[in-house]
Amino acid sequence: MNDRPLDPQALALDGDGYLLRLDDWTPAVAEALARNEGLDLQPEHWEILEALRAFYREFQLSPATRPLVRYIAQALGPDKGNSAHLNRLFKGTPAKLAAKLAGLPKPTNCL
Amino acid sequence: MATLHLLSHSPFSDERFASCLRLLGERDGLLLSGDAVHALQPGTAPRDALERLPASVALLVLEDDLNARGLSDRQPARARVIDYPGFVDACLQYAKVNSWL
Amino acid sequence: MARSLLIVSRQAPWSGPHAREALDMALAGGAYDLPIALLFLDDGVFQLQRGQQPGALEQKDLGANLQALPLFGVESLYACRHSLQTRGLAEDTLLLPVQVLDAPGLRELLDAHDEVVTI
């Protein structure tokens, strides 16, 4: 491993920019995908991404916005699990963007 | 809110008929089409079950399917034989339709 | 007020697409905060069997997905007692907290909803 930034071009992505293989995910991959979206990942992003990956391990699907908010509220408390906080962190589309950065499939039950 | 239940599978090879009777409310209707018409076969358990339904439950049978299966004139007195326009009318008379696909 | 929907899921989990379709319908409705209830009937109750290991089938894990229903806001979950009993499924072994209903309860449930879809 080296510290060189990962080239998003080198990742196998679907047409919407989601990882094709969940196992390809690493924190470096998340950072590369975030840069692609013009986002600089901070600890407050990482805790959401980690919670999302736990969600996926348990339920084997990507949550839509409402269940995402509910789950984050249960996992990290209501000051984190609310749409204002999540919208701010993930450019207004938390379910889609956070799933993408966490290496999950695109949520299917989401506008 | 009364429901019209649509059945089209034979009660002799499929569980839909029995389960439908379990869910059937007193004000509901039951419409038999396709192989569900075999439920009217005289001397069988499904036929007996239909005869025992509360009088408030409407029993409708699609005429073409009844005739095709040799059961015309053998249906119980409580059954109302309907054509396709009658099918549509029946669907509109109930608050909702439950199709046992 | 949105019209309430009862989804009746009556296919076994790995025999075809219907169990998945019923679940997807429930998840989609729940994500939009629609009043949705889900009833497991006939072979549909086999979806509630614990310990399903469908890995070799290369399909999404229905059992894991089912457990997401409460987070999707679908908390009205029911199963038919007759269907459970005839299939040897004990209530306390199911993978979801469902309310188990006898025939009168099933009739009330159906009557209480604006729409019903049986899959």
Side-chain angles (χ1 to χ4, degrees):
Chain A
M1 288 295 281
N2 58 37
D3 293 338
R4 223 158 25 120
L6 238 166
D7 179 7
Q9 305 292 329
L11 297 169
L13 304 177
D14 71 6
D16 294 314
Y18 290 76
L19 279 188
L20 285 175
R21 289 181 304 269
L22 271 52
D23 293 342
D24 284 354
W25 190 89
T26 64
V29 167
E31 279 169 352
L33 292 171
R35 269 197 306 279
N36 238 10
E37 304 282 345
L39 213 60
D40 183 20
L41 294 181
Q42 299 300 317
E44 52 186 1
H45 294 99
W46 284 111
E47 64 182 2
I48 306 297
L49 299 188
E50 276 157 24
L52 254 181
R53 291 186 63 80
F55 182 99
Y56 193 86
R57 276 195 298 277
E58 185 172 359
F59 301 116
Q60 299 290 308
L61 53 78
S62 301
T65 307
R66 205 176 290 272
L68 170 66
V69 170
R70 202 170 288 158
Y71 183 74
I72 298 296
Q74 284 178 14
L76 304 174
D79 51 328
K80 306 287 174 61
N82 66 75
S83 6
H85 177 71
L86 294 170
N87 281 333
R88 184 176 63 75
L89 290 180
F90 296 101
K91 300 184 3 181
T93 57
K96 284 181 184 170
L97 185 52
K100 183 186 282 186
L101 302 185
L104 311 186
K106 186 176 179 181
T108 48
N109 299 306
C110 204
L111 273 178
Chain B
M1 276 171 297
T3 305
L4 178 64
H5 296 266
L6 308 183
L7 281 171
S8 58
H9 289 70
S10 166
F12 300 101
S13 60
D14 185 273
E15 214 171 1
R16 288 174 178 81
F17 181 84
S19 292
C20 177
L21 292 193
R22 208 164 291 124
L23 262 78
L24 195 66
E26 285 189 343
R27 293 171 299 132
D28 287 354
L30 184 56
L31 195 161
L32 306 177
S33 69
D35 282 343
V37 166
H38 288 303
L40 298 174
Q41 186 70 30
T44 64
R47 167 78 178 239
D48 289 347
L50 289 175
E51 305 259 23
R52 282 197 306 269
L53 287 177
S56 54
V57 173
L59 177 61
L60 310 175
V61 188
L62 196 61
E63 183 172 30
D64 290 356
D65 292 338
L66 183 73
N67 293 344
R69 286 162 182 79
L71 290 162
S72 50
D73 305 326
R74 301 171 77 190
Q75 75 271 18
R78 62 176 301 161
R80 183 151 67 85
V81 179
I82 57 169
D83 56 11
Y84 282 97
F87 192 137
V88 176
D89 285 344
C91 290
L92 295 173
Q93 276 168 20
Y94 289 82
K96 57 184 179 289
V97 173
N98 186 18
S99 181
W100 293 75
L101 292 175
Chain C
M1 183 67 191
R3 291 170 68 76
S4 60
L5 171 65
L6 173 66
I7 300 169
V8 183
S9 183
R10 52 179 304 281
Q11 200 180 52
W14 308 107
S15 62
H18 293 156
R20 159 67 47 193
E21 284 167 6
L23 174 60
D24 281 346
M25 201 185 293
L27 291 174
Y32 289 107
D33 215 14
L34 299 175
I36 293 211
L38 183 57
L39 166 67
F40 297 92
L41 180 71
D42 297 340
D43 277 352
V45 296
F46 281 131
Q47 296 172 40
L48 300 172
Q49 176 115 279
R50 272 188 200 278
Q52 299 175 46
Q53 295 182 319
L57 304 180
E58 299 199 338
Q59 292 179 37
K60 288 208 272 181
D61 187 341
L62 188 83
N65 292 176
L66 281 168
Q67 293 178 65
L69 280 165
L71 275 171
F72 274 70
V74 182
E75 279 152 354
S76 303
L77 304 169
Y78 305 90
C80 165
R81 187 183 311 277
H82 177 85
S83 305
L84 289 171
Q85 282 177 347
T86 51
R87 286 164 182 78
L89 287 167
E91 285 176 38
D92 54 3
T93 64
L94 307 178
L95 58 72
L96 265 181
V98 294
Q99 222 175 307
V100 178
L101 299 176
D102 295 310
L106 293 172
R107 285 181 216 126
E108 281 171 30
L109 182 69
L110 177 64
D111 202 46
H113 286 82
D114 296 315
E115 303 289 348
V116 57
V117 176
T118 298
I119 306 175

